Amino acid sequence: MTPLEREIRSIIAAEGPITVERFMALALGHPRFGYYPTRDPLGAAGDFTTSPEISQMFGELLGLWAAETWSLMGRPPRVALVELGPGRGTLMADALRAARAMPGFPDALAIHLVETSPALRSAQERTLARSGHPVAWHDRFETVPEGPAIILANEFFDALPVRQFVRAERGWHERLVGLAQDDALAFGLAPDPDARIRIPGNAGEVIEINEPALAIVGQLAGRLSRDGGAALVIDYGHLRTAPGDTLQAVRSHQFADPLADPGEADLTAHVDFEALARICTQAGTRLHGPTTQGEFLRTLGIEARANQLKRRASPGQAAAIDAASRRLTDPTQMGTLFKVMAFSHPGLPSVPGLIPVPAKAQSGSELETTC
Ligand code: SAH
């Protein structure tokens, strides 16, 4: 039994079953035994691989996206380049290298990383040591200093804990984690439905609410609509709010039981882009997209960048570059499952690679999407 399972069992023994959200928050974030604070989970030797770890092209294209966005913002003399959940710092390192192509941009930048994991902060420090940019770390976005900002978040929101509700005869019951008769950790339901959730549903359907994600997007959007700038969110998820249990555990690149060995597996839930978009609209930002990752990277020029890299590569390396490009963009791999959305100060008419949502469509209940 993992030390965290022992801790979770003692909480359940003292207080009764806990919500899925609390279970997920403990499994991922417990300061001593949680998944993220205790390890670097990325890469072939870890549990999962993300786009920036697949290819330098990903971070480079995002760096060019940031540089072009800064130019569209009117080239403010100081801008915070903020990344939420920067993993090993690979995306930021690749982005900063590519951003040198835009004269004036590197000098305007102040780098701010929002990261709670001590293990990953050390990795980020090592990766960015040679970037030539001082880096400031934050536990939360609120402490990033005021002023215009360009914010990047790749696979950050899927790592935040969700509440789950299951439809039964009398309404939506919160899903809980307790102990089964055989004493194993098991899912159960709150005895009474949550009277605040009035949406219709069929028996057995599951809905998910990511309250931390909604709160953080609300903060980002409030900041951007006040101080200027744009945020780019890339994650796996759905364009429309829809029922579905998307909680999953991954360990050593394999799906695992989310209740087995808490603290030792990555837990994620898909991001509901429609719910995030609604918050952005309420906070007065302009929406861009969403679209799929494949479409976005192709529009930003991943093929041209791959061809450029291949000119200096051996045949083996060229094949690897092509394979990485396919993995990031192919609909059967990460191209469609991953979605991309930006939101910005309302005065910013467009950002690269995404179609701005007309203000009229934004105020209605239905959002225009490109796919
Ligand atoms: N963006 C990186 C890593 C994704 S993994 C990449 O694409 O490779 C999720 C990242 O979010 C990790 O860096 C993790 O430590 C961080 N994280 C998870 N929960 C967090 C929270 N509540 N606040 C800040 N960072 C968090």
Side-chain angles (χ1 to χ4, degrees):
M1 188 185 297
T2 63
L4 186 59
E5 179 164 351
R6 221 165 284 131
E7 188 130 336
I8 289 172
R9 283 169 172 277
S10 70
I11 295 172
I12 294 171
E15 302 173 26
I18 59 175
T19 63
V20 164
E21 182 190 49
R22 185 159 176 210
F23 176 82
M24 201 172 164
L26 287 165
L28 293 178
H30 186 282
R32 267 198 306 148
F33 307 128
Y35 182 73
Y36 279 113
T38 52
R39 78 203 65 218
D40 171 356
L42 292 151
D47 292 312
F48 61 96
T49 300
T50 55
S51 300
E53 302 298 330
I54 291 171
S55 167
Q56 68 185 77
M57 294 185 285
F58 187 81
E60 288 170 348
L61 291 171
L62 263 55
L64 295 175
W65 182 91
E68 187 60 31
T69 297
W70 173 74
S71 182
L72 292 164
M73 285 161 63
R75 306 168 73 92
R78 293 298 288 162
V79 66
L81 181 60
V82 185
E83 189 179 351
L84 309 180
R88 288 180 173 167
T90 309
L91 190 165
M92 186 57 86
D94 293 336
L96 290 173
R97 201 177 53 251
R100 288 196 223 130
M102 173 72 77
F105 186 50
D107 296 332
L109 287 179
I111 310 301
H112 293 275
L113 303 182
V114 179
E115 174 62 70
T116 42
S117 158
L120 287 170
R121 278 189 185 200
S122 309
Q124 291 151 20
E125 194 171 1
R126 282 194 299 277
T127 308
L128 291 166
R130 274 172 292 126
S131 73
H133 288 272
V135 176
W137 276 270
H138 304 263
D139 284 327
R140 294 180 314 278
F141 173 74
E142 289 104 301
T143 57
V144 173
E146 287 180 10
I150 297 173
I151 302 163
L152 306 173
N154 183 60
E155 287 209 50
F156 168 71
F157 289 104
D158 70 358
L160 300 178
V162 290
R163 296 178 74 175
Q164 289 190 318
F165 296 88
V166 181
R167 182 76 196 193
E169 226 171 85
R170 292 189 295 130
W172 295 96
H173 297 250
E174 183 143 22
R175 187 177 249 176
L176 306 174
V177 176
L179 295 174
Q181 291 195 327
D182 65 357
D183 208 36
L185 288 177
F187 288 115
L189 293 183
D192 292 316
D194 190 315
R196 289 165 303 177
I197 308 179
R198 299 222 182 80
I199 54 179
N202 299 318
E205 273 178 354
V206 178
I207 55 170
E208 295 174 337
I209 303 177
N210 192 329
E211 286 174 353
L214 298 175
I216 293 169
V217 165
Q219 283 164 8
L220 303 180
R223 172 74 68 92
L224 295 174
S225 58
R226 193 188 68 206
D227 291 356
L232 186 69
V233 175
I234 306 178
D235 228 308
Y236 62 130
H238 33 273
L239 297 176
R240 298 279 177 198
T241 302
D245 174 4
T246 73
L247 177 67
Q248 69 180 32
V250 167
R251 195 173 176 185
S252 304
H253 303 267
Q254 307 278 332
F255 290 116
D257 172 357
L259 298 184
D261 304 323
E264 295 296 319
D266 185 35
L267 294 181
T268 59
H270 283 201
V271 172
D272 179 349
F273 279 85
E274 187 177 356
L276 299 190
R278 216 176 294 126
I279 300 285
C280 296
T281 302
Q282 283 163 10
T285 52
R286 177 184 289 251
L287 286 174
H288 310 263
T291 187
T292 60
Q293 173 165 300
E295 194 63 40
F296 179 70
L297 294 178
R298 272 191 294 273
T299 311
L300 293 188
I302 192 166
E303 276 163 39
R305 181 62 186 140
N307 288 335
Q308 204 179 28
L309 287 173
K310 282 194 293 185
R311 279 203 286 276
R312 288 181 271 130
S314 67
Q317 287 169 329
I321 292 165
D322 280 334
S325 171
R326 268 199 309 278
R327 189 163 168 198
L328 294 175
T329 58
D330 194 282
T332 62
Q333 303 193 53
M334 298 172 86
T336 303
L337 183 57
F338 280 72
K339 310 294 189 298
V340 183
M341 182 179 86
F343 49 100
S344 71
H345 187 277
L348 193 63
S350 67
V351 295
L354 294 166
I355 297 171
V357 177
K360 196 157 55 71
Q362 247 184 267
S363 57
S365 60
E366 287 293 296
L367 292 170
E368 290 213 347
T369 55
T370 51
C371 52

